[in-house]
Amino acid sequence: MTESSVTTTTERTDADAVTSSNETTTGESDERTKAEWREYTFDGEPVLSVEDLNVWYGDAHALTDISIDIPEKSVTALIGPSGCGKSTFLRCLNRMNDRIKGASVEGEVTFNGQNIYADGTNLVELRKRIGMVFQHPNPFPKSIRENVAYGPRKHGDLERGLVPRLLGRDDKDREDELVEQCLRDAALWDEVEDRLDDNALGLSGGQQQRLCIARCLAVDPEVILMDEPASALDPIATAKIEDLIEELAEEYTVIVVTHNMQQAARISDQTAVFLTGGELVEFDDTDKIFENPESQRVEDYVTGKFG
């Protein structure tokens, strides 16, 4: 492995890295995983390619030898029981695990052909190109308008304020257009167009989550990572988020973690199944995963026999 493909924040020994490939949890059958179950083929080049990814939290081996290619402009669902490494894997795709004390990552993740774990990677630019929406809505305690415009202002894509106005460079009209377009793309404009200056914390949970999606869209990402984006929402709000995810996949690559089997089946084009020990067991078209998986453990999981 090359130096550029490794980043380590916690020292460990070879013994710490040992994990059993057929370790199981309650109700999970003992089975040797086959490499061909993870060899998903599709047209075009992958937008993200992961090779031999391993993650530790201290001595705990959270992800084991993950290799996967993610197709662009589609929805990829990550499913599996709690503690199997889905969210850890998602955070690896824009290096959010760098922010977790004791996390150690080995392997390679390439985004449009560039290894994001190479020395000198601009993490601000990376997280602009690969945005993230979290499980619980986290709007800023600012107006709806300012929530959407914050990213472009911060990155220097929009100039606002007294000095730009005096110099004739104020981007108010462009900002207004951006705010409207992002809120429309997030299916929120019709509900908030007459109160853009209201505090975003006054929105409902579902509206706040769609505002967070609009805020993510405002910096023009290529990939949107979603970590259980509807788990804290009511059924009506969840349905709106699901419809929105399907619409977003026409222009963006969406990767979503979900515990909801029915949701994964409804919204995703392909599904990756993680099981005990941080192992990627199977990756295929969503219909194939839910109707005729290769792995007995995957069939047991999606039919509710464990997990």
Side-chain angles (χ1 to χ4, degrees), residues 266-283:
R266 285 193 297 267
I267 68 173
S268 66
D269 300 292
Q270 53 275 332
T271 296
V273 186
F274 290 75
L275 294 177
T276 303
E279 180 186 18
L280 173 61
V281 176
E282 192 165 346
F283 182 43

Side-chain angles (χ1 to χ4, degrees), residues 135 137 204-210 229-238 241:
Q135 180 175 1
S204 70
Q207 289 173 327
Q208 287 185 15
Q209 191 67 301
R210 282 180 283 149
S231 66
L233 305 180
D234 62 69
I236 294 175
T238 295
I241 294 292

Side-chain angles (χ1 to χ4, degrees), residues 84-214:
C84 68
K86 306 181 299 298
S87 294
T88 292
F89 175 75
L90 194 74
R91 290 193 298 267
C92 286
L93 301 181
N94 69 350
R95 292 187 57 173
M96 290 296 288
N97 282 322
D98 289 17
R99 304 171 64 89
I100 299 177
K101 185 177 180 180
S104 172
V105 179
E106 287 189 1
E108 192 168 278
V109 178
T110 59
F111 171 51
N112 289 334
Q114 300 295 316
N115 179 18
I116 71 171
Y117 282 92
D119 293 340
T121 297
N122 184 329
L123 296 184
V124 173
E125 184 64 22
L126 172 66
R127 291 167 186 158
K128 179 182 175 183
R129 307 309 303 153
I130 305 178
M132 192 159 195
V133 177
F134 297 92
Q135 180 175 1
H136 296 284
N138 58 346
F140 301 139
K142 299 174 179 287
S143 72
I144 296 168
R145 182 196 312 276
E146 289 175 310
N147 264 269
V148 179
Y150 179 85
R153 289 182 189 174
K154 190 75 171 176
H155 289 292
D157 299 327
L158 290 172
E159 291 191 81
R160 294 298 313 278
L162 177 60
V163 173
R165 281 200 301 274
L166 292 175
L167 296 175
R169 295 200 300 259
D170 187 76
D171 289 332
K172 183 181 185 306
D173 289 343
R174 196 154 65 91
E175 179 179 291
D176 289 345
E177 291 173 4
L178 176 69
V179 168
E180 178 176 348
Q181 187 60 54
C182 291
L183 289 171
R184 285 190 183 279
D185 290 346
L188 188 57
W189 174 255
D190 291 342
E191 298 169 39
V192 301
E193 62 175 312
D194 58 348
R195 49 184 177 130
L196 296 178
D197 294 318
D198 288 1
N199 194 305
L201 299 181
L203 298 173
S204 70
Q207 289 173 327
Q208 287 185 15
Q209 191 67 301
R210 282 180 283 149
L211 177 62
C212 291
I213 293 172

